[in-house]
């Protein structure tokens, strides 16, 4: 049993005790409204849409909490803001969240954050013009690639995929790439030219031809990419062959998923890489506030996910699967009290 699993079981076990201790802070009380800042992501992205929808749902619920969305560069930036206390809540990808908790690069040491829920899965998109020369990750050697904004989870997964393919400029283990050169004596390919661009800038760059490929990690469909696909014929490159290498190097936060036929005009499914998204909180967020927030999330999940990812469901057994990131005491109390 991992340390995270041990912590999760212990927290779930004491959940009812925590629940009893914070009953006075539940919704319907007469205390002051607790204001919670939520680090989301850039304008036009799914985190930003989720954050706005959550703030509206909480406001309509009558519970004594207020959610204030804060636009950011996304996952890495959000975890840093949680760590320094400039926000109380954040959305972040699972891989970056585990890096923060375990003190792995790009974080200088362990970050004390907790999870409220795993809310949905990001799909890694790698798209290129359909009439262009790029047909695989290896074809990106030496080419300009929009690889996510600085401080985003997109940048992390893009760099890891390129590293697995031997194109990041950083050495990868010999076994780490499903598409490694067949001969050890073969010359190493030129690294991809990674450009730090957010979603809107990435779309513009691909449309204008200043980059040859665009990485994105988000729900399906992502509106900005759906709009682009209607005006520019696109090819979505399969990435599922790299899942094993990523899991070997970074753990089980990565999984094989499929972009379904029909989205973005795809005529057939495309295998790619899935990464969970967590709703996170500082450990000092009061348990009662955490429970009130989760009640809204589970009551309104259809509305919250509508603009983020199609066909997703939020279920308790999915929500508590937060890997190395421990559950917040209020979250443990909520799941224990409601679902046993």
């Amino acid at each position: 049993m991992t340390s995270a699993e041990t912590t999760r079981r212990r927290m779930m076990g004491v959940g009812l005790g925590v629940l009893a201790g914070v009953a006075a802070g539940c919704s319907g009380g007469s205390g002051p409204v607790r204001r919670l800042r939520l680090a989301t992501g850039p304008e036009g992205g799914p985190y930003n849409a989720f954050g706005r929808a959550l703030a509206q749902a909480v406001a309509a619920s009558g519970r004594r909490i207020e959610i204030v969305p804060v636009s950011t560069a996304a996952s890495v930036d959000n975890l840093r803001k949680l760590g320094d206390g400039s926000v109380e809540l954040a959305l972040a990808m699972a891989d970056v969240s585990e890096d923060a908790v375990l003190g792995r690069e790009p974080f200088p040491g362990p970050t004390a954050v907790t999870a409220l829920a795993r809310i949905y899965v990001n799909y890694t998109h790698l798209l290129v013009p359909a009439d262009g020369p790029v047909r695989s990750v290896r074809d990106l050697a030496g080419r300009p690639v929009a690889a996510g904004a600085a401080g985003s989870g997109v940048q992390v997964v893009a760099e890891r995929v390129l590293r697995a393919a031997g194109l990041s400029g950083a050495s990868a283990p010999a076994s780490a790439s499903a598409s490694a050169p067949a001969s050890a004596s073969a010359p190493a390919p030129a690294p991809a030219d990674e450009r730090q661009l957010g979603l809107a800038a990435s779309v513009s760059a691909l449309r204008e031809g200043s980059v040859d490929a665009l990485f994105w990690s988000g729900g399906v469909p992502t509106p900005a990419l759906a709009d682009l696909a209607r005006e520019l014929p696109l090819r979505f490159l399969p990435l599922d062959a790299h899942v094993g290498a990523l899991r070997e190097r970074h753990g089980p936060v990565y999984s094989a998923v499929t972009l379904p036929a029909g989205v973005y005009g795809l005529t057939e499914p495309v295998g790619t890489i899935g990464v969970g998204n967590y709703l996170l909180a500082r450990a000092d967020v009061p348990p009662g506030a955490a429970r009130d927030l989760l009640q809204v999330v589970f009551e309104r999940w259809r509305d919250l996910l509508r603009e983020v990812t199609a066909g997703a469901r939020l279920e308790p057994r999915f929500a508590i699967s937060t890997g190395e990131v421990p559950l917040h005491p209020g979250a443990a109390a909520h799941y224990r009290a409601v679902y046993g």
Side-chain angles (χ1 to χ4, degrees), residues 68-332:
V68 181
V70 177
S71 296
T72 67
S75 293
V76 176
D77 189 21
N78 292 356
L79 283 153
R80 288 173 175 156
K81 290 182 184 299
L82 270 185
D84 66 22
S86 57
V87 298
E88 292 76 36
L89 306 171
L91 295 161
M93 288 167 58
D95 51 355
V96 182
S97 299
E98 292 205 356
D99 290 342
V101 168
L102 298 175
R104 297 187 301 217
E105 189 180 356
F107 302 95
T111 305
V113 300
T114 63
L116 298 179
R118 180 186 184 211
I119 48 177
Y120 69 97
V121 173
N122 265 11
Y123 287 62
T124 306
H125 300 59
L126 177 53
L127 50 146
V128 301
D131 59 357
V134 178
R135 295 181 176 273
S136 71
V137 178
R138 296 282 291 177
D139 292 337
L140 295 176
R143 296 182 181 276
V145 178
S152 70
V154 180
Q155 184 185 29
V156 171
V157 73
E159 193 279 333
R160 289 176 177 178
V161 169
L162 292 171
R163 179 182 296 181
L167 302 180
S168 73
S171 59
S175 62
S177 174
S179 55
S183 169
S185 61
D193 177 10
E194 299 177 52
R195 309 281 179 88
Q196 295 183 351
L197 300 173
L199 179 58
S202 295
V203 168
S204 295
L206 192 69
R207 183 191 295 114
E208 296 163 1
S210 57
V211 299
D212 291 330
L214 182 162
F215 272 99
W216 172 248
S217 184
V220 179
T222 294
L225 300 186
D227 291 343
L228 180 64
R230 283 189 283 269
E231 62 179 278
L232 177 69
L234 297 171
R235 177 182 298 119
F236 287 74
L237 302 186
L239 296 173
D240 49 330
H242 297 285
V243 172
L246 294 183
R247 288 174 67 90
E248 179 182 345
R249 187 176 177 103
H250 304 288
V253 290
Y254 297 107
S255 60
V257 296
T258 301
L259 293 170
V263 298
Y264 308 121
L266 290 172
T267 57
E268 57 184 28
V270 176
T272 190
I273 300 161
V275 191
N277 289 290
Y278 298 161
L279 177 59
L280 303 167
R282 288 178 56 85
D284 55 7
V285 169
R291 289 180 52 253
D292 277 357
L293 179 58
L294 281 174
Q295 287 169 4
V296 175
V297 168
F298 278 93
E299 288 169 2
R300 299 287 300 276
W301 64 265
R302 290 177 179 82
D303 299 326
L304 300 178
L305 297 180
R306 181 176 295 121
E307 295 185 30
V308 176
T309 186
R313 292 182 58 86
L314 182 59
E315 299 176 349
R317 61 185 178 83
F318 175 90
I320 65 172
S321 300
T322 56
E324 294 293 333
V325 184
L327 285 173
H328 185 282

Side-chain angles (χ1 to χ4, degrees), residues 24-44:
C26 295
S27 60
S30 58
V33 172
R34 181 166 292 276
R35 187 171 181 266
L36 300 172
R37 295 163 295 181
L38 169 63
T40 60
E43 293 289 339

